[in-house]
Amino acid sequence: MTSTSQKPLVLYIDGNDFNQRLVRKILEPEGFLVESAGDGLQGIKKAIDLVPDLMLLELNLPYVDGLGVTMKVKSMPSLEHIPVVALTSKRARDDQERALASGCDGIVEKPIDVHRFAGRIKELLEGRREGHRAINKTQMLRDFSASLVDQLREKVEQLEQANRELAGRKAEIKDAYERSQKANLDLKRINKLKENIIAITSHELRTPLSLAVGYLDVLNRGMVGTVNEEQQELLRVSLEGLGRISSLIDRIGDLSRIEKKKIPYEFKVVDLNQVFHRAYSGYKIFLQLRAIDFQLELSKEPLWVRCDENMLEQVFANLLKNALCYTRDGGKLTAKSWIDSGRIHFSLQDTGIGMSAEDLDQIFEDFYQVHDHTYHKTGTFEFMTRGIGVGLTFCKGILEEMGGTIWASSDGLDKGSTFTLYLPQVEQNESVATA
Ligand code: ADP
């Protein structure tokens, strides 16, 4: 016996799981070890690896059929002594003869007789062999080689088909690769174009803008003649408009510098609550004018973060400006800050127009706006006054440079929005350089 436990090892080859379980259920309680294989090739491999005491097999098997397995086993000096038993159906006399001719030592008829099955296997193990029947071995071998040729032809056809499909896929992949290369080039070109526009906006517009601001200021101060009240009001509105354009140009320039990592940050360790208070103080008056209820739920203890204070203040100002602009008069804003797992968190929740799930993912992309950008109010902090869709990109870029990030959540349109950010927590006396 091959098995160390002295129990005889039966290798059962059958593609059907149910039959495998049944044979195992019958033989194991009778003191056999049972190993199974699901196809002819696997069966031959297991026979070589395990050298079982007996092999039991179906004739109809995937890849190499039962006759092929038997012939292979009987042709190998290390395995030829193993009794091979074929499971065939009662009336399939031809199959039985072919199995015996191919070298099988016994036949067990299906359906399996549960009471006699184990006894039959024991007999075969003890050396009993099937009586030879009158069979025409030459005819059987001829049939077998014909069936091998058929199997081979079928396999070749399958391989050719797989090859054709592969060639088709290769062409598809090549095509997709070429398209992605082209898209990549287009993207690079568009990006270059964007950079050029930004450069033109920042450099070429700034000079005439400063001139216009300067001249309007000269006029406004009455330096080239008296200015009446009506003219003064017109000049004030014009200067305010130019001021907004100027800060937009600054913001676009910042974005480009963040992208190219060219912002000259001045890192310090500061209390996030204090930086927020500074930004908030600039918005108090507008919150009052718009009758917006503001709830402050900031942590009592200082929240030390390492950051560029001015940049962080601009992040808060941007969030406050958005919350103010996208919340109706009489709405509510809640600012919270807290520490969690070594991170300083801050959130600003509003009861405003909210956002769809699709927009939540995109609002941090530059120049992205949820609403039609042509629908703009001219005021600064009125409901639905918008910029040009770069504020949040700026916030995200800055926070990521400082080791943090920001995200938005909303239960949907008209259900309010919450913007949450975090920065790594540091010690108050932490060295700025090593932080
Ligand atoms: P913008 O300057 O146009 O406001 P932002 O980058 O700050 O650009 O915001 C991008 C878009 O995100 C806005 O156009 C707006 O549609 C949406 N958004 C930002 N904040 C809010 C908010 N608090 N509530 C609803 N939508 C918001």
Side-chain angles (χ1 to χ4, degrees):
M1 306 283 146
T2 327
S3 50
T4 48
S5 59
Q6 300 306 308
K7 287 183 177 180
L9 175 63
V10 173
L11 174 59
Y12 177 44
I13 314 175
D14 188 341
N16 181 316
D17 283 355
F18 175 79
N19 289 348
Q20 287 188 4
R21 280 201 298 277
L22 177 71
V23 165
R24 203 179 277 272
K25 264 215 165 79
I26 301 172
L27 292 184
E28 282 180 349
E30 296 290 335
F32 291 93
L33 285 176
V34 180
E35 265 293 331
S36 320
D39 62 63
L41 280 181
Q42 205 190 10
I44 293 170
K45 184 170 184 317
K46 280 204 169 174
I48 294 169
D49 291 347
L50 303 172
V51 192
D53 296 298
L54 181 140
M55 286 173 69
L56 187 61
L57 43 79
E58 274 285 327
L59 291 189
N60 197 4
L61 290 171
Y63 305 129
V64 177
D65 67 12
L67 302 182
V69 174
T70 310
M71 285 193 197
K72 176 70 190 163
V73 167
K74 291 296 178 185
S75 73
M76 296 174 74
S78 59
L79 302 182
E80 64 178 348
H81 65 281
I82 299 173
V84 179
V85 182
L87 266 168
T88 68
S89 139
K90 218 176 214 144
R91 276 184 294 278
R93 286 278 153 206
D94 277 2
D95 279 356
Q96 297 186 356
E97 283 175 7
R98 286 188 308 129
L100 291 172
S102 70
C104 280
D105 300 284
I107 302 289
V108 169
E109 289 185 337
K110 289 190 295 185
I112 291 173
D113 179 341
V114 176
H115 301 292
R116 297 193 51 234
F117 183 57
R120 179 98 179 90
I121 298 295
K122 272 183 197 147
E123 282 172 11
L124 287 155
L125 259 176
E126 282 157 8
R128 182 179 164 151
R129 295 292 175 264
E130 205 63 36
H132 280 290
R133 296 188 188 141
I135 37 166
N136 181 342
K137 276 201 176 190
T138 319
Q139 180 59 38
M140 182 260 148
L141 282 174
R142 206 175 287 142
D143 291 351
F144 182 67
S145 50
S147 94
L148 272 186
V149 170
D150 285 346
Q151 281 181 31
L152 205 64
R153 196 185 307 128
E154 200 181 311
K155 285 279 162 281
V156 169
E157 273 168 19
Q158 282 173 2
L159 274 176
E160 279 173 355
Q161 174 63 17
N163 229 354
R164 278 194 292 276
E165 279 169 19
L166 208 68
R169 291 232 66 114
K170 248 168 117 179
E172 266 174 43
I173 290 170
K174 188 165 171 264
D175 198 39
Y177 175 74
E178 278 169 7
R179 268 184 284 135
S180 81
Q181 288 284 84
K182 186 177 173 315
N184 223 353
L185 273 179
D186 287 349
L187 212 65
K188 274 192 184 147
R189 232 173 274 137
I190 292 171
N191 224 10
K192 184 82 199 136
L193 213 65
K194 189 184 91 182
E195 275 175 19
N196 286 347
I197 292 173
I198 289 174
I200 292 167
T201 330
S202 323
H203 301 123
E204 306 301 322
L205 285 188
R206 200 174 290 284
T207 318
L209 191 70
S210 331
L211 277 178
V213 170
Y215 288 146
L216 287 180
D217 201 31
V218 167
L219 285 178
N220 196 25
R221 286 164 197 264
M223 289 162 77
V224 284
T226 325
V227 183
N228 67 28
E229 253 181 50
E230 199 180 341
Q231 289 166 333
Q232 234 170 18
E233 176 58 12
L234 292 177
L235 287 170
R236 190 191 61 75
V237 172
S238 306
L239 277 167
E240 214 179 84
L242 292 180
R244 276 212 298 280
I245 296 176
S246 168
S247 61
L248 275 182
I249 293 173
D250 288 348
R251 189 46 54 82
I252 292 174
D254 284 346
L255 262 192
S256 150
R257 279 193 292 278
I258 290 176
E259 221 170 85
K260 293 182 183 153
K261 305 216 172 287
K262 280 192 177 161
I263 293 234
Y265 295 104
E266 281 180 35
F267 286 118
K268 299 194 220 175
V269 172
V270 294
D271 174 12
L272 176 136
N273 286 338
Q274 276 188 17
V275 183
F276 174 73
H277 268 292
R278 281 221 322 260
Y280 168 57
S281 61
Y283 283 84
K284 263 187 185 156
I285 178 75
F286 301 106
L287 290 161
Q288 279 164 12
L289 286 173
R290 301 268 319 279
I292 290 179
D293 174 20
F294 198 92
Q295 297 289 322
L296 266 176
E297 296 178 19
L298 301 185
S299 119
K300 299 272 176 292
E301 54 187 320
L303 302 176
W304 302 112
V305 291
R306 170 188 163 270
C307 69
D308 182 308
E309 209 174 347
N310 286 331
M311 291 290 175
L312 185 60
E313 190 180 329
Q314 284 188 52
V315 169
F316 288 133
N318 208 79
L319 296 182
L320 282 164
K321 180 200 149 290
N322 280 354
L324 194 65
C325 293
Y326 299 113
T327 304
R328 290 179 177 80
D329 291 13
K332 182 176 167 187
L333 304 188
T334 311
K336 293 182 188 169
S337 62
W338 69 98
I339 304 178
D340 184 19
S341 320
R343 285 173 173 173
I344 305 290
H345 286 80
F346 171 87
S347 72
L348 185 63
Q349 184 179 16
D350 63 51
T351 54
I353 61 169
M355 268 171 280
S356 68
E358 187 197 334
D359 288 325
L360 283 175
D361 287 341
Q362 305 192 55
I363 51 173
F364 293 96
E365 284 169 20
D366 44 359
F367 302 103
Y368 184 85
Q369 291 186 310
V370 176
H371 309 275
D372 180 0
H373 76 281
T374 52
Y375 171 67
H376 258 193
K377 289 232 174 125
T378 46
T380 315
F381 301 111
E382 278 178 61
F383 176 55
M384 294 305 277
T385 304
R386 290 189 301 279
I388 54 165
V390 295
L392 290 176
T393 322
F394 169 83
C395 293
K396 193 167 174 134
I398 290 291
L399 289 165
E400 285 178 355
E401 281 294 312
M402 298 177 191
T405 195
I406 181 168
W407 65 95
S409 50
S410 170
D411 287 336
L413 292 177
D414 263 326
K415 302 231 167 101
S417 313
T418 305
F419 285 81
T420 311
L421 63 86
Y422 74 70
L423 283 171
Q425 179 187 18
V426 298
E427 295 295 325
Q428 182 182 6
N429 52 6
E430 187 143 343
S431 141
V432 173
T434 58

